[in-house]
Amino acid sequence: MAALENKGVSRRDFLTGAAALAGGLAAVSAIPAAAHAEEAGVIGDWAADGSKAVAVAPSKDTNASASDGTYREHDAAAFPANDATAIEPRKVPDAWDYECDVVVVGAGGGGLNAAARAAELGASVICVESMASWGGNAQSAGMCGILGGYSKQEEKRFAFPSYPFDPKALTDWAMDEYHYAADPKLIYKIACEGGHSLDWMADCGVKWRLGEVPVYVAPKNSTLDHHVLKMKDATDAMYDYGVSKGVEFIFRCPAEALVQDETGRIVGLVAKQDFQHEVYIHASKGVILTAGGFCNNKALLDRYIPTAAMGCASSYLVGGETGECFRMGLGVGADVSGFNSSASFDGGVDWQAEGGQWARFLYDGMTQLSRQPWLTIDRAGNRLRYMDSRVGEDGANAIYALGDLATIQMVPPGHRSYIIFDANYEDHLAGFAQEHCRKLITPDLEQIDKVPEHYRDWHHGVQDAIDADVLKRRDTLEELEADLGFAKGVLTDAVAKWNECCEKGEDDFLYPMPPEWLHAITTPPFYGCRIGGNLYGTKAGLLINDQMQVVGTNGLVIPGLYAGWHTAGGACGENSYIGDPILGSLMGDVGLAFCGGYLCGTSVIDNEF
């Protein structure tokens, strides 16, 4: 296996020997191969009888949703939001339906922590959630990252960027990575409190997997995939803790508007209980918005994150992220932070171009197949660099490949890239040996139950794509060239040059593929697919200060209004496809939500009581 010196890694090389875990589904984390004693060259045991042959069942109509709402139906009605207009606040009613000190919007990772923390500190709390259960997007996540300040890190004598942990040093590093486009006071707050929030969650009953700490120091030749934290377990524990502290949860109750009094203070919320009856909830001390960003609201993406709207080929199928909280903030005059900043994975498959939907389940066979090191070109036929996710000598930098490659795939003309391979593609997959979120989905993966049953065999997703002509299968390269929209000769010339390299066994590209990945494209049928990024988080959001208070366009705090991530922005810089560092935030995507909720729950008590 080639070591990572072939990657040409960036200035982040000093991460050698340490890694922060970042957002992603635990379903992609594999049990060590030795546990299955697989035959060399076989990717998983996907056939019931253990053979290599697979009978692919007919495609299903939907990504079947779990009864508890973990997955939503894969149809257009599940994503109705396409509106960037502000949601105007309501006036104070003559009578309130509910009374509390604090109301929290959203029962995902951030909302659960905000509600539990505020209740623990003495507030009466109501938490409304549009879905039928708690957990939100966090319940399908698999990783939580922390770069410093967590007590258990002392056992590994680890901190970043140096030991012992220094939040100022971490802030300096992060601001440099963000090109000084973020709020240093807010970054410093995360650095100081991020580790404390994980200690607090542990005290509340969250048991990190196998007793491991939620920070990982990568020894050589190891894989991060085996150190995944089960965020579903964490959300369950935080829900139980919130209930024990008196939080009243109201499910199937989406927020509709903020309530603002004549002084400009936010004093409550209008929600639609059971999706039918409007209720007015009086929150005398504050409202906390934590119900996510706007990954599935194309109008908001076009206005605030145009690079994501253009470059990302798809958005992963989530429980929310349609932007209502953001729009409610706009309605009361909130400013916006993190313009044009998003977080993306590589391998977004362009279903929309073929009449499909923008939102897709993040891990299916076609997505995984598109993340492998095939011949990848832009519309002019130019080769594109591939970022290796094999751990090799350094487990730290490999994780960056997931996000950095998304940028590479989105920046060419037309904001699309193209993967090309031939009929022998399945013979090459074992040799690619990609890790992290690039593993093919097979029934032997850990937490495979989080994947819709239909997609637990990667072949099913690939067949879906072929049937929809998203993955184009053609008898000749000329047909494939025309049907993918290339000018005549562009694809055929690129393939000819690629085949010459394969025949020589040496890649002449500026960022060469290792010899074992050079597979000529000669055997029909030929396959091609449009790809871009796979949007998994918007990093633009309501402007907040280091107290998590929402700030208006006049520069003043909007009284009584708080926001956690990902409703809030400011945790990463401007103009970033990926929102680095660590695939979208200082703590990894899910970790930031948990931390933000903890900070919101603490700050509302500090400032309002």
Side-chain angles (χ1 to χ4, degrees):
M1 180 181 293
L4 284 187
E5 56 263 24
N6 289 329
K7 281 185 59 182
V9 291
S10 69
R11 65 193 174 112
R12 292 169 292 197
D13 288 358
F14 56 76
L15 277 170
T16 298
L21 302 180
L25 290 187
V28 301
S29 300
I31 299 172
H36 302 287
E38 296 172 359
E39 178 185 350
V42 177
I43 304 293
D45 177 17
W46 53 65
D49 60 0
S51 68
K52 298 180 185 179
V54 180
V56 180
S59 297
K60 296 187 177 181
D61 295 329
T62 65
N63 295 342
S65 296
S67 59
D68 66 356
T70 302
Y71 301 105
R72 299 180 65 175
E73 291 296 332
H74 189 182
D75 56 53
F79 305 98
N82 193 31
D83 190 347
T85 60
I87 297 176
E88 297 298 323
R90 304 281 186 91
K91 295 181 179 179
V92 176
D94 294 333
W96 297 93
D97 298 290
Y98 291 93
E99 294 277 350
C100 63
D101 294 325
V102 177
V103 65
V104 176
V105 180
L112 291 170
N113 274 15
R117 180 62 172 167
E120 178 186 61
L121 296 177
S124 60
V125 179
I126 292 174
C127 180
V128 298
E129 167 58 49
S130 63
M131 297 177 72
S133 64
W134 61 90
N137 299 328
Q139 69 178 323
S140 61
M143 301 183 191
C144 176
I146 176 63
L147 297 176
Y150 179 57
S151 63
K152 293 292 185 180
Q153 288 175 275
E154 290 297 313
E155 297 176 6
K156 292 192 174 186
R157 313 298 287 177
F158 168 77
F160 185 84
S162 61
Y163 183 86
F165 177 63
D166 179 355
K168 176 63 164 57
L170 177 56
T171 301
D172 289 343
W173 169 77
M175 290 303 296
D176 180 59
E177 288 286 310
Y178 296 145
H179 307 289
Y180 300 92
D183 178 356
K185 292 187 293 183
L186 186 58
I187 300 303
Y188 184 75
K189 185 81 169 186
I190 303 169
C192 289
E193 299 294 337
H196 296 163
S197 68
L198 293 177
D199 277 324
W200 173 75
M201 290 176 69
D203 291 340
C204 295
V206 174
K207 298 185 184 299
W208 306 114
R209 177 174 176 249
L210 301 178
E212 294 173 354
V213 299
V215 62
Y216 178 49
V217 181
K220 291 183 177 181
N221 302 314
S222 63
T223 172
L224 295 174
D225 286 329
H226 304 151
H227 293 260
V228 167
L229 303 179
K230 296 181 180 179
M231 292 296 99
K232 178 64 166 70
D233 296 345
T235 59
D236 288 348
M238 293 312 302
Y239 171 76
D240 291 341
Y241 185 74
V243 170
S244 75
K245 294 299 178 182
V247 177
E248 180 179 356
F249 289 93
I250 306 177
F251 298 107
R252 294 174 51 81
C253 188
E256 291 204 315
L258 296 169
V259 178
Q260 190 173 36
D261 69 15
E262 64 280 359
T263 72
R265 181 178 179 82
I266 305 305
V267 295
L269 182 79
V270 182
K272 204 158 195 177
Q273 196 162 6
D274 293 323
F275 301 101
Q276 295 180 350
H277 311 292
E278 278 194 350
V279 291
Y280 280 73
I281 304 172
H282 186 205
S284 61
K285 301 299 184 182
V287 175
I288 300 175
L289 303 175
T290 67
F294 43 89
C295 286
N296 289 317
N297 187 324
K298 290 297 290 293
L300 284 173
L301 291 175
D302 286 338
R303 181 169 296 185
Y304 296 102
I305 314 183
T307 54
M310 291 185 297
C312 289
S314 57
S315 175
Y316 84 93
L317 206 61
V318 292
E321 299 283 336
T322 49
E324 286 80 3
C325 276
F326 180 79
R327 293 170 58 209
M328 287 192 290
L330 295 180
V332 294
D335 207 340
V336 180
S337 181
F339 283 103
N340 219 14
S341 183
S342 64
S344 299
F345 281 127
D346 61 313
V349 179
D350 192 357
W351 289 79
Q352 192 174 38
E354 304 299 336
Q357 294 173 18
W358 157 258
R360 296 287 301 178
F361 188 70
L362 180 56
Y363 294 103
D364 62 59
M366 188 57 233
T367 299
Q368 301 308 95
L369 192 64
S370 74
R371 294 169 133 178
Q372 305 305 312
W374 309 111
L375 169 62
T376 306
I377 59 176
D378 65 16
R379 68 191 302 176
N382 300 309
R383 287 272 303 278
L384 297 178
R385 181 183 181 184
Y386 186 78
M387 305 283 292
D388 193 357
S389 74
R390 296 178 298 179
V391 172
E393 292 296 312
D394 179 5
N397 290 295
I399 194 80
Y400 280 106
L402 306 176
D404 288 347
L405 188 60
T407 300
I408 294 170
Q409 292 170 345
M410 291 188 287
V411 296
H415 304 281
R416 287 292 178 272
S417 304
Y418 303 81
I419 59 168
I420 309 296
F421 48 87
D422 72 3
N424 300 315
Y425 69 90
E426 194 160 339
D427 296 336
H428 309 317
L429 294 170
F432 291 152
Q434 292 300 289
E435 299 186 69
H436 305 305
C437 301
R438 294 181 181 169
K439 286 184 168 66
L440 294 171
I441 297 176
T442 58
D444 58 2
L445 293 182
E446 184 180 353
Q447 299 193 65
I448 190 64
D449 58 312
K450 288 188 175 183
V451 178
E453 184 176 359
H454 176 58
Y455 285 138
R456 294 178 191 178
D457 177 342
W458 68 272
H459 294 84
H460 292 188
V462 173
Q463 189 61 49
D464 286 351
I466 292 172
D467 291 344
D469 205 33
V470 170
L471 176 60
K472 297 186 184 300
R473 179 173 58 189
R474 299 294 187 268
D475 291 332
T476 68
L477 286 171
E478 288 78 9
E479 289 177 291
L480 186 62
E481 179 178 70
D483 291 345
L484 281 173
F486 286 104
K488 185 176 181 180
V490 169
L491 175 60
T492 53
D493 288 350
V495 170
K497 292 177 182 178
W498 169 257
N499 288 346
E500 289 177 8
C501 292
C502 295
E503 185 175 350
K504 291 186 298 185
E506 182 178 354
D507 193 356
D508 61 5
F509 184 48
L510 184 63
Y511 306 103
M513 294 280 204
E516 65 268 25
W517 289 354
L518 298 177
H519 303 296
I521 300 172
T522 57
T523 306
F526 302 101
Y527 296 83
C529 183
R530 296 182 183 92
I531 56 174
N534 202 316
L535 180 63
Y536 77 90
T538 51
K539 301 303 176 183
L542 303 178
L543 177 64
I544 58 172
N545 61 16
D546 62 350
Q547 295 297 305
M548 312 302 287
Q549 295 168 304
V550 177
V551 178
T553 55
N554 59 6
L556 303 178
V557 166
I558 298 173
L561 187 61
Y562 295 75
W565 295 291
H566 297 87
T567 301
C572 59
E574 310 280 346
N575 300 313
S576 171
Y577 271 124
I578 307 304
D580 272 343
I582 316 302
L583 283 183
S585 71
L586 278 169
M587 296 187 63
D589 204 58
V590 178
L592 188 68
F594 281 127
C595 176
Y598 171 83
L599 293 176
C600 281
T602 303
S603 295
V604 73
I605 300 298
D606 290 344
N607 291 292
E608 310 294 346
F609 283 75

